[in-house]
Amino acid sequence: MTKIINLKTGEVRKIEKPKPRECEVCGIEVYEDEGGLVGNIGKLPVGFCNVCTTGIVAMLIERQNKER
């Protein structure tokens, strides 16, 4: 939680951090600043942790190499 104080009026307001998404594969919390991947596939919001993202990319590269 972050507090913001208006210096002219003295008004204090609080801003909550957005809740992290869960990895679609393994279910742990995903943070973009820690290497996670968060975005949309079409209109579907998705999130992948760093480990699962690496695994998915490795599978795609392996599949592409087999098709050649």
Side-chain angles (χ1 to χ4, degrees), residues 30-47:
V30 176
Y31 298 96
E32 284 185 273
D33 57 346
E34 294 178 5
L37 182 63
V38 176
N40 295 319
I41 298 176
K43 292 185 178 181
L44 179 67
V46 294

Side-chain angles (χ1 to χ4, degrees), residues 17-65:
K17 277 184 132 180
K19 294 181 182 177
R21 288 198 177 136
E22 288 186 356
C23 177
E24 302 295 330
V25 178
C26 66
I28 67 168
E29 293 180 344
V30 176
Y31 298 96
E32 284 185 273
D33 57 346
E34 294 178 5
L37 182 63
V38 176
N40 295 319
I41 298 176
K43 292 185 178 181
L44 179 67
V46 294
F48 299 104
C49 70
N50 192 27
V51 174
C52 292
T53 300
T54 304
I56 292 168
V57 170
M59 286 191 303
L60 291 171
I61 291 171
E62 183 178 323
R63 182 178 179 180
Q64 185 178 20
N65 290 338

Side-chain angles (χ1 to χ4, degrees), residues 6-24:
N6 186 327
L7 295 175
K8 291 182 181 179
T9 63
E11 179 185 344
V12 178
R13 61 183 173 128
K14 299 176 184 177
I15 297 178
E16 296 288 329
K17 277 184 132 180
K19 294 181 182 177
R21 288 198 177 136
E22 288 186 356
C23 177
E24 302 295 330

